[in-house]
Each structure stands twice: as structure tokens, then as C-alpha cells.
Amino acid sequence: MSLLAGCGRVADLEPAPGQPLPVKPLMARATPTPAELLTAPPYARPERVDELVRRSEPRKPDAFDLPPPTGSAAPPEPAGTDPDPVTNETGPAVPQ
């Protein structure tokens, strides 16, 4: 347990001895500091929007919320087509 207690030490992060900080990004005006590199940009942690419904309101009519024209039935087969018979036979494939 004594090893586990030692891993929670908090210290400033620094590059390894003899290692420089990362190079300046191409479009940046200056090389970022370690604190700037560790700070998350605003888009990484967007604010949450919790808009609670305080009272029930009817929905506005939606022109695109329509049932299918055939009453949700599958479209009929085109006239003049004969569906292929389905069999459970297995065997070599024969080209048609």
C-alpha cells in the first residue's frame, strides 16, 4: 500500500532532462507554454444545455410527418415479373 500512496504526488510537469518542449505549431505566433499545452480548448469541453420542459405544449404541425402513401405496405411487384422460386436445395451453381 505504501507504493500506491506515493503515486498521487502532484508536481509541475516539465520535459525530460535534455529534451526541449514541442516545436512551435506552424500557424502559431509563439511556442505554447506547458500550461497552455495542458489547457483543454473550449470545444473539447462544450457546455451542456439542459433545457427542461416546464409545461407540456402541443407540437407544431410538421409538413414532412406523413404516413407512407400505401399505408406502410410493401410496394407491389411490377406487372409482368415472375419472382424466382425459392428452394432449400444445395448444389453447384449453374449459370443462367
Side-chain angles (χ1 to χ4, degrees):
M1 280 294 190
S2 63
L3 294 175
L4 184 60
C7 71
R9 186 173 150 231
V10 177
D12 292 337
L13 294 176
E14 296 178 3
Q19 298 293 322
L21 286 172
V23 296
K24 177 179 83 73
L26 290 176
M27 301 299 287
R29 296 182 186 197
T31 302
T33 64
E36 291 172 341
L37 290 171
L38 293 172
T39 304
Y43 58 82
R45 293 184 185 154
E47 290 187 24
R48 188 172 170 175
V49 178
D50 289 333
E51 185 174 322
L52 300 175
V53 177
R54 298 186 190 265
R55 60 188 157 136
S56 179
E57 297 177 0
R59 290 186 176 189
K60 296 177 184 174
D62 184 4
F64 297 101
D65 188 19
L66 300 174
T70 60
S72 73
E77 291 286 327
T81 59
D82 188 24
D84 294 332
V86 178
T87 64
N88 289 332
E89 296 177 17
T90 58
V94 180
Q96 294 180 359

